[in-house]
Amino acid sequence: MARIDETRPFIPVGIAVLTVSDTRTPETDRSGDTLVARIAEAGHRLAARAMVTDDVAEIRATVEAWTHDEAIDVVITTGGTGFTGRDVTPEALEPIFEKRMDGFSEVFHRISYDKIGTSTIQSRATGGVTNATFIFVLPGSPGACKDAWDGILKAQLDYRHMPCNFVEIMPRLDEHLKRTAG
């Protein structure tokens, strides 16, 4: 069963938060604020925070730039995962995933189902890896951000979490780029 191994050190990681919205402002971004508070409470570093509109190019450019920043290990986006015409965050980011994390979406929906029932199917939450950076695409509600952080990310971003976690594999995420032909 999952547990925290207190003999291992806590290793803080750099996390960037991107809010995707045509209607929110920095003053009304409760979802971004929820993530920022949880990141700090867990002992991680907020490496960047931004807000962009529901625009594929703008979303992708921001996230791709962050994946090239060595201070950023994880990008979490909030917003734009629904089915309306303006919900384009998965379309912006899934094409740049080098590896998809199907299990993230599946576990997120299981957790969400326990809270909001079948309404969870209205979210296209997703995750993946790009440029040795984890990317998690969350719905825009504070509740969904709490569910994803409390139910998945808090544990997986803790090096002490056993039997395995994302932090321990971070040094190996780009090993395919280090291989040489021959």
Side-chain angles (χ1 to χ4, degrees):
M1 199 68 192
R3 64 183 171 81
I4 296 292
D5 182 348
E6 296 291 347
T7 67
R8 296 179 90 173
F10 177 79
I11 299 173
V13 297
I15 304 174
V17 174
L18 179 65
T19 299
V20 178
S21 177
D22 288 337
T23 59
R24 294 185 191 159
T25 66
E27 296 76 33
T28 62
D29 181 17
R30 290 188 16 225
S31 297
D33 291 345
T34 295
L35 290 168
V36 168
R38 279 171 159 68
I39 290 164
E41 289 166 9
H44 297 294
R45 295 181 318 275
L46 179 64
R49 183 174 181 184
M51 181 174 282
V52 298
T53 61
D54 294 277
D55 177 79
V56 169
E58 194 174 4
I59 297 164
R60 187 176 296 160
T62 302
V63 172
E64 282 187 317
W66 283 349
T67 68
H68 291 287
D69 184 334
E70 291 193 16
I72 298 173
D73 303 298
V74 178
V75 173
I76 303 173
T77 72
T78 175
T81 65
F83 290 101
T84 71
R86 296 296 295 155
D87 292 322
V88 296
T89 308
E91 287 79 9
L93 299 179
E94 286 180 335
I96 68 169
F97 289 171
E98 295 164 5
K99 295 188 186 249
R100 287 184 51 97
M101 192 182 305
D102 295 328
F104 175 78
S105 178
E106 293 165 5
V107 173
F108 172 80
H109 284 294
R110 188 198 61 74
I111 292 167
S112 182
Y113 181 83
D114 290 343
K115 306 232 172 132
I116 63 170
T118 59
S119 294
T120 189
I121 66 172
Q122 293 189 35
S123 166
R124 297 179 299 138
T126 187
V129 177
T130 302
N131 296 322
T133 305
F134 287 107
I135 301 171
F136 301 100
V137 178
L138 308 181
S141 75
C145 291
K146 290 174 188 175
D147 291 346
W149 182 268
D150 297 347
I152 305 169
L153 298 176
K154 181 179 178 185
Q156 282 297 300
L157 294 175
D158 190 332
Y159 179 68
R160 303 167 302 166
H161 179 78
M162 302 305 283
C164 56
N165 60 75
F166 292 145
V167 178
E168 65 191 356
I169 64 171
M170 283 180 178
R172 298 181 48 215
L173 292 177
D174 64 353
E175 65 191 4
H176 65 289
L177 302 174
K178 298 175 184 174
R179 294 185 191 134
T180 58

